[in-house]
Amino acid sequence: MKKFIIAMDQGTTSSRAVLFDEHFNIVDIVQYEFTQYFPKEGYVEHDPYEIISTQFDAVEEMISRNNLPVHEIAAIGITNQRETTVVWDKTTGKPIYNAIVWQCRRTADICLQLQTEGWTEYIKQTTGLIIDAYFSATKIKWLLDNVEGARAKAEKGKLLFGTIDSWLIYNMTKGLVHVTDYTNASRTMIFDIHNLCWDKKLCDLLTIPVSMLPEVKSSSELYGYYNIQGVDIPITSIAGDQQAALFGHKCINKGDVKNTYGTGCFMLVNTGTEAVSSEHNLLTTIAAVGKDMSIQYALEGSVFTAGAVVQWLRDELEMIESAGETEGMALAVEDTAGVVMVPAFTGLGAPYWDMYARGTIVGITRGTRKNHIVRAALESIAYQTDAVLKAIEQDIGHEIKTLRVDGGASANEFLIQFQSDISNTKVVRPSSLETTALGVAYLAGLGVGMIKDISTVENHINDREYLPLMNEQTRKQLTDAFDKAVVRSKDWVIKESP
């Protein structure tokens, strides 16, 4: 009997394997962090080989330490950091360069050129996206333009592009399968989300040969097999991490909203079969669906720096030893004593969209202490989320009464209560924060017939509900101060003329 599903959760800072039983309860989690490279200001890279080695090692350790009979694994699902770009040689399978991470700002000037040439509206209407270095398209162009010999190889059909899901599956299937799903394709800035195909006009504009691009499929079907200990395990789901989390929360009905607190923060609202075009600087993206389901869409607000600000406190400032310390430190002071932080380390995402913004801490006095800085860092996550929440409310035309949350930082009691306070809404946290992995496990289960319909799966228990306790006057004072600080952080880096 096939009893287990393994979710490969390949994130921005770690690769994880999450083991689920047939009732979608978590059996075990194995996690390996990997190296972050910052070769220049605004540049962020990963080693593609380290990504696959840590991810595959996590699966192997999972099997080993649970004495898991491989033949009892029903399927493997993949959820991944989105937009991160790998280009590799079709013959050798070797990457031509490090993976360029979604946070990387190196292509900001290419994006500025596109804006100057008047492509903003076409790209928004076709891809649902705002022109930004966040997305994969300009990263591909940069690689072809800057890696010696890459352009010539690509034009001869000798190079392949993939987001991390494609890179993993290509290696899992020994180079036999070059594929992605609609959710990841919709984050490239060259995919037509209405006609569900690569847009030749945009590929030509960015001089990206279509021969490089993977085949695009649904988020739940058979793509190929991963051989483990001589047993071929079907790979039956792919979903970008945020769409996987939306599915994991069972936000399958129009109007359902979730927010994931990870390296960044990502809020999505299901808009059903309608691709809603945002009037408030949100993204229109494709939600995760199975092979025989109608395409669903979502509006998304992407915050680039959320949990990463806590990592920065730990690794770069050495202000804390672990993320768990921040809750107690924040609660040890009554407020931030006027300190406001805008963690625009790699620019600002929704709803501001400023590639040239940089991190700012304002309001510092001689009396500012470490705890005030830590509290301001946590509060900055909630403020950015609140700005996205307000933009979504304006686009969908009604208030959001309940916000479902997940992700590592959502375990922080101070942060989530402050989120409820500053957004004046109920926040619901599930008992398991592994909603991203759960979503791709559901999709993998659908792909092998372990479940027939997501609505029949028993709801997982909520851990806690948070209700707002802050008065309106205080709320307004705090949000006004953050908005003022955002203005200080914007347009900091000098733009190069296109």
Side-chain angles (χ1 to χ4, degrees), residues 7-11 14-16 34 47-57 59 76-81 84 86 88 161-180 184 223 225-226 235 237-239:
M8 290 186 177
D9 186 354
Q10 205 299 302
S14 69
S15 298
R16 304 184 321 139
F34 56 87
D47 178 348
Y49 284 125
E50 192 177 7
I51 285 176
I52 56 174
S53 66
T54 52
Q55 187 61 76
F56 295 169
D57 286 351
V59 171
I76 291 174
I78 296 170
T79 183
N80 57 285
Q81 54 167 317
T84 295
V86 185
W88 65 92
F161 151 75
T163 42
I164 296 302
D165 56 306
S166 299
W167 172 240
L168 285 171
I169 289 180
Y170 189 83
N171 283 277
M172 292 165 76
T173 62
K174 308 294 187 185
L176 294 177
V177 179
H178 184 216
V179 69
T180 189
N184 281 290
Y223 314 106
Y225 296 88
Y226 182 35
I235 308 164
S237 67
I238 305 170

Side-chain angles (χ1 to χ4, degrees), residues 403-420:
L403 179 63
R404 298 176 177 88
V405 301
D406 66 275
S410 67
N412 189 299
E413 298 284 344
F414 168 80
L415 170 60
I416 301 306
Q417 181 58 58
F418 189 79
Q419 186 71 73
S420 178

Side-chain angles (χ1 to χ4, degrees), residues 61-347:
E61 183 178 337
M62 172 73 68
I63 291 169
S64 174
R65 79 183 192 188
N66 288 279
N67 295 315
L68 185 64
V70 177
H71 65 273
E72 292 187 1
I73 302 171
I76 291 174
I78 296 170
T79 183
N80 57 285
Q81 54 167 317
R82 303 170 304 171
E83 298 94 18
T84 295
T85 297
V86 185
V87 172
W88 65 92
D89 187 292
K90 188 176 182 179
T91 303
T92 66
K94 294 181 178 180
I96 65 168
Y97 190 85
N98 271 348
I100 301 181
V101 180
W102 58 272
Q103 300 161 314
C104 190
R105 300 283 92 189
R106 78 184 65 194
T107 62
D109 294 330
I110 300 174
C111 294
L112 183 60
Q113 176 96 29
L114 293 173
Q115 292 167 348
T116 303
E117 293 175 357
W119 285 96
T120 300
E121 193 57 29
Y122 181 83
I123 286 174
K124 180 181 179 181
Q125 293 304 319
T126 304
T127 71
L129 306 178
I130 289 167
I131 295 174
D132 195 87
Y134 178 24
F135 306 110
S136 308
T138 57
K139 302 180 195 301
I140 305 171
K141 177 175 172 55
W142 188 94
L143 286 165
L144 297 184
D145 289 344
N146 288 275
V147 177
E148 186 177 354
R151 170 74 55 198
K153 274 191 170 184
E155 289 173 353
K156 292 177 182 177
K158 294 182 178 180
L159 295 183
L160 298 177
F161 151 75
T163 42
I164 296 302
D165 56 306
S166 299
W167 172 240
L168 285 171
I169 289 180
Y170 189 83
N171 283 277
M172 292 165 76
T173 62
K174 308 294 187 185
L176 294 177
V177 179
H178 184 216
V179 69
T180 189
D181 82 309
Y182 292 131
T183 68
N184 281 290
S186 72
R187 312 296 297 188
T188 58
M189 214 175 78
I190 48 173
F191 189 75
D192 185 333
I193 63 170
H194 309 286
N195 294 309
L196 305 180
C197 61
W198 300 112
D199 186 79
K200 188 174 187 305
K201 190 172 183 179
L202 289 175
C203 289
D204 289 345
L205 172 68
L206 292 162
T207 59
I208 297 172
V210 176
S211 61
M212 295 179 67
L213 307 178
E215 182 181 359
V216 187
K217 296 190 173 186
S218 80
S219 296
S220 179
E221 59 180 281
L222 177 64
Y223 314 106
Y225 296 88
Y226 182 35
N227 189 282
I228 302 176
Q229 298 174 12
V231 179
D232 285 334
I233 311 299
I235 308 164
T236 59
S237 67
I238 305 170
D241 50 11
Q242 303 314 316
Q243 289 97 329
L246 189 72
F247 203 78
H249 278 288
K250 296 177 68 174
C251 291
I252 55 175
N253 299 311
K254 187 175 180 179
D256 290 344
V257 185
K258 74 88 194 175
N259 190 51
T260 297
Y261 297 81
T263 302
C265 265
F266 302 89
M267 189 179 299
L268 278 75
V269 57
N270 187 315
T271 62
T273 55
E274 181 185 5
V276 175
S277 182
S278 175
E279 299 299 322
H280 299 91
N281 290 330
L282 301 175
L283 308 174
T284 306
T285 198
I286 299 179
V289 293
K291 186 176 182 180
D292 299 318
M293 299 168 64
S294 299
I295 291 292
Q296 287 194 329
Y297 295 90
L299 279 173
E300 176 176 331
S302 308
V303 172
F304 294 157
T305 303
V309 74
V310 177
Q311 289 181 317
W312 174 70
L313 293 175
R314 182 192 68 188
D315 299 339
E316 276 71 39
L317 294 194
E318 299 181 357
M319 196 172 278
I320 57 173
E321 291 186 2
S322 69
E325 296 174 42
T326 59
E327 182 180 317
M329 294 174 73
L331 291 169
V333 289
E334 191 173 323
D335 51 36
T336 65
V339 176
V340 181
M341 182 185 295
V342 181
F345 301 153
T346 57

Side-chain angles (χ1 to χ4, degrees), residues 349-421:
Y352 313 105
W353 294 108
D354 187 339
M355 294 179 289
Y356 299 95
R358 287 297 179 266
T360 304
I361 304 176
V362 295
I364 297 173
T365 68
R366 183 65 180 80
T368 298
R369 302 199 312 275
K370 181 165 63 173
N371 288 0
H372 296 130
I373 300 291
V374 169
R375 180 167 176 142
L378 293 178
E379 288 187 0
S380 75
I381 300 171
Y383 287 129
Q384 293 176 97
T385 297
D386 181 60
V388 172
L389 185 71
K390 287 183 171 64
I392 286 179
E393 289 178 333
Q394 289 175 299
D395 270 336
I396 64 177
H398 61 79
E399 288 186 358
I400 294 170
K401 301 293 186 183
T402 301
L403 179 63
R404 298 176 177 88
V405 301
D406 66 275
S410 67
N412 189 299
E413 298 284 344
F414 168 80
L415 170 60
I416 301 306
Q417 181 58 58
F418 189 79
Q419 186 71 73
S420 178
D421 288 340

